[in-house]
Amino acid sequence: MSEIALDFGIQEALEKLGVQEFNKGTSTGSDNFGSGDTISSYSPVDAALIGKVTGTSETDYEKVISTAVEAFKTWRKVPAPQRGEIVRQFGEKLRALKEPLGKLVSYEMGKSYQEGLGEVQEMIDICDFAVGLSRQLHGLTMHSERPLHRMYEQYHPLGIVGIISAFNFPVAVWSWNTALAWVCGDVCVWKPSEKAPICGIACQNIIADVLRENKLPEGISCLINGDYRVGEFMTKDKRVPLVSATGSIRMGKIVAQAVAARLGKSLLELGGNNAIIVTPEADIKMTIIGAVFGAVGTAGQRCTSTRRLIIHEDIYDKMKDALVAAYGQLKIGNPLDEENHVGPLIDKDAVKLYLKALDKAEEEGGKILVPGGVLDGPGYESGCYVKPAIVEADNSFEIVQEETFAPILYLLKYRGEVTNAIATQNDVVQGLSSAIMTNNLRDAEQFLSAAGSDCGIANVNIGTSGAEIGGAFGGEKETGGGRESGSDAWKIYMRRQTNTINYSTELPLAQGIKFDL
């Protein structure tokens, strides 16, 4: 265990989460096994080895799916409010383990400890939401055109829900899916990111305890580990009617094609190229806070991170100077130290992409306002710490059109009406999150109108990052069109059925068709 891990209580956190032995692998609940490749998890905080996980072979996968199939036969018959009670107990265990799980998230992924705690709080919040939902899984009744008939529709569980999550939210996105899927009567098979496998083991340990205490089948919650090849087991498997995948656009297109080829359902949460529009009437102080957190929070590795700032020419220089000054106050370092604002990127491959993006921006004519670069020396031994950068650019630049998972903020200038800024914002292939900073009611309403932002999320006077679980989360265009978390996102995890009941002594046909024998 490294010095940083010892100083900040990582060993104790791992022990509380039951992952101190590092010999866990494929899991269907309480039992752990695996015969695939070994996955080593190194912390981007200090490059220390956290542990090794045994990956899932195809034989292992078949055992997991068989266990899940059998568990579904039991779980779907449990009344929804009782399923909600299991999720409530899971949420209570998360409350008790919030601090150690938050530390593990911070240490294995590299986000700040406060963000790690926030991610676990999201898990708790979605459990609360799901518990309430368990008593509100409603259908509709409608009038039949035929006498002495009634019609209604209801929702039934799908079966196995496959979940593929990304490294940047190593626990929360799984819970968004699984808490809802569980109360809907589904069982879940989760492939966490191979860059954060220990977080997956920790979560599986927690829910396995709940299932064991309630004498429920362990296959209600299953875990598989590995790279994209393990994910392919699920995407091609007809026994998995729904695959929920979070990641890059490139990955999402592969998943969507594989699942569609077998006429399965996919829920996709893919890339974002999120912008904040800043009008002349914007509150500068609020804008700076929202823009800086959006751009550097999680070291720019959120799908909702602010990539572009579209500023009206009348306040462009004022905003630019304020941003440069704010960046000068950022503290970069160990994310477990709450004095620091910015932690590391996930690994050295991410660092290479960051440096490549900055070089590309300059080649295309961008002007570097706040220089980037890789930090070295004491405290930066992992080689994953980089400087948040600001670049004056144009929306037409190829690199601006791309999503770079790193703390690079592009400043863009607009002139004239807010519709010009909206057109610039929408002129990318991604459509996840967007925001406008303004005290002009007309501009705000224009931004929210059908002719406004084309993103799944559109905010006024808050940033692009930090969604609440009460609203459906997701985006349009190449972001994939999926919706997770709140509102009526639960419907994707269920199959819809229309029922007609005839309580007459006749058999009239619809549309007045006559068929007499």
Side-chain angles (χ1 to χ4, degrees):
M1 188 62 61
S2 70
E3 184 177 336
I4 284 178
L6 291 172
D7 288 346
F8 288 90
I10 298 301
Q11 179 65 47
E12 182 182 358
L14 294 173
E15 290 173 358
K16 288 181 178 178
L17 295 167
V19 292
Q20 70 274 19
E21 295 178 357
F22 308 124
N23 62 351
K24 308 294 185 181
T26 306
S27 176
T28 58
S30 58
D31 296 326
N32 293 279
F33 56 87
S35 57
D37 297 334
T38 297
I39 303 168
S40 297
S41 177
Y42 292 92
S43 171
V45 176
D46 56 6
L49 177 66
I50 305 174
K52 296 181 179 181
V53 171
T54 305
T56 303
S57 68
E58 193 163 2
T59 300
D60 299 331
Y61 174 78
E62 286 300 320
K63 293 178 182 178
V64 170
I65 291 296
S66 295
T67 305
V69 167
E70 288 304 309
F72 177 60
K73 294 176 183 178
T74 298
W75 187 237
R76 65 186 174 183
K77 297 177 184 177
V78 176
Q82 292 183 29
R83 298 194 295 253
E85 167 60 17
I86 301 305
V87 174
R88 186 196 68 79
Q89 293 179 31
F90 178 54
E92 288 303 304
K93 285 193 180 289
L94 289 173
R95 283 181 168 87
L97 294 169
K98 180 177 178 179
E99 181 178 330
L101 186 54
K103 281 187 177 180
L104 175 58
V105 168
S106 178
Y107 189 60
E108 188 171 33
M109 185 268 149
K111 64 176 59 177
S112 74
Y113 178 46
Q114 281 300 311
E115 289 184 79
L117 292 174
E119 185 167 345
V120 181
Q121 186 61 49
E122 280 192 61
M123 301 177 76
I124 295 167
D125 292 345
I126 197 63
C127 284
D128 288 349
F129 181 92
V131 172
L133 177 65
S134 69
R135 293 182 180 272
Q136 301 179 66
L137 296 173
H138 58 81
L140 292 173
T141 61
M142 57 280 287
H143 290 279
S144 172
E145 67 185 53
R146 290 167 282 186
L148 302 181
H149 285 59
R150 72 181 179 92
M151 296 177 64
Y152 69 96
E153 64 179 24
Q154 59 182 331
Y155 289 85
H156 294 302
L158 277 176
I160 298 174
V161 173
I163 302 167
I164 301 172
S165 63
F167 73 86
N168 58 334
F169 281 86
V171 297
V173 171
W174 167 70
S175 70
W176 286 4
N177 284 275
T178 204
L180 298 191
W182 283 335
V183 298
C184 289
D186 300 316
V187 299
C188 296
V189 177
W190 177 29
K191 193 200 87 64
S193 169
E194 62 270 30
K195 297 182 180 183
I198 308 299
C199 283
I201 297 292
C203 291
Q204 181 66 13
N205 285 348
I206 297 169
I207 186 58
D209 284 346
V210 174
L211 297 176
R212 189 164 44 247
E213 290 165 3
N214 288 272
K215 297 180 173 56
L216 287 166
E218 60 182 6
I220 292 169
S221 180
C222 301
L223 186 74
I224 55 177
N225 275 304
D227 59 15
Y228 71 93
R229 291 169 293 184
V230 175
E232 286 179 348
F233 295 157
M234 287 196 297
T235 59
K236 296 178 180 179
D237 192 339
K238 291 183 179 180
R239 294 167 295 180
V240 183
L242 172 65
V243 175
S244 175
T246 303
S248 68
I249 291 172
R250 181 191 62 80
M251 179 275 285
K253 288 181 177 179
I254 294 171
V255 168
Q257 290 175 36
V259 175
R262 58 179 176 84
L263 297 181
K265 298 168 68 176
S266 58
L267 192 169
L268 302 175
E269 297 290 357
L270 310 176
N273 194 346
N274 316 295
I276 298 177
I277 295 171
V278 188
T279 76
E281 295 84 7
D283 183 309
I284 300 296
K285 183 178 180 181
M286 284 175 57
T287 302
I288 293 297
I289 294 172
V292 174
F293 176 74
V296 309
T298 323
Q301 297 173 111
R302 293 187 176 208
C303 53
T304 55
S305 290
T306 305
R307 311 284 176 204
R308 299 173 295 148
L309 209 57
I310 305 170
I311 309 167
H312 193 276
E313 62 178 349
D314 289 353
I315 58 167
Y316 183 85
D317 289 337
K318 185 176 182 179
M319 272 294 304
K320 179 173 68 174
D321 293 343
L323 277 168
V324 171
Y327 269 53
Q329 299 175 43
L330 293 175
K331 296 179 181 178
I332 308 166
N334 173 13
L336 293 163
D337 183 343
E338 296 186 61
E339 291 187 2
N340 292 322
H341 301 103
V342 185
L345 293 177
I346 186 64
D347 55 26
K348 290 184 179 179
D349 286 339
V351 174
K352 291 176 183 176
L353 291 174
Y354 156 85
L355 293 173
K356 184 178 178 181
L358 286 175
D359 288 343
K360 178 70 172 175
E362 282 198 279
E363 289 172 10
E364 293 193 75
K367 179 182 178 182
I368 304 295
L369 293 178
V370 176
V374 182
L375 296 167
D376 55 19
Y380 304 123
E381 289 86 356
S382 71
C384 296
Y385 292 88
V386 302
K387 300 176 184 177
I390 300 178
V391 182
E392 286 187 297
D394 188 273
N395 205 61
S396 63
F397 289 1
E398 287 184 12
I399 193 60
V400 176
Q401 291 285 314
E402 298 175 7
E403 178 190 40
T404 302
F405 240 44
I408 302 174
L409 179 63
Y410 299 110
L411 299 194
L412 313 174
K413 185 186 294 185
Y414 83 93
R415 298 174 175 82
E417 299 299 318
V418 73
T419 51
N420 297 328
I422 293 171
T424 298
Q425 177 208 278
N426 293 345
D427 188 24
V428 292
V429 298
Q430 309 88 347
L432 179 52
S433 187
S434 59
I436 188 170
M437 293 292 188
T438 187
N439 286 320
N440 184 312
L441 179 62
R442 289 190 176 92
D443 285 352
E445 290 296 333
Q446 179 67 39
F447 176 75
L448 298 174
S449 73
S453 171
D454 64 3
C455 296
I457 299 169
N459 299 326
V460 176
N461 289 331
I462 60 172
T464 61
S465 191
E468 299 179 24
I469 62 94
F473 179 90
E476 300 301 320
K477 300 190 294 188
E478 292 194 7
T479 298
R483 291 298 185 275
E484 294 174 320
S485 193
S487 186
D488 65 348
W490 60 271
K491 292 181 179 179
I492 189 69
Y493 304 98
M494 305 196 83
R495 59 182 176 88
R496 189 170 181 164
Q497 185 180 81
T498 300
N499 308 110
T500 305
I501 300 171
N502 176 7
Y503 57 97
S504 75
T505 58
E506 305 292 333
L507 187 62
L509 301 178
Q511 293 84 47
I513 295 173
K514 299 296 183 182
F515 187 77
D516 296 325
L517 293 176

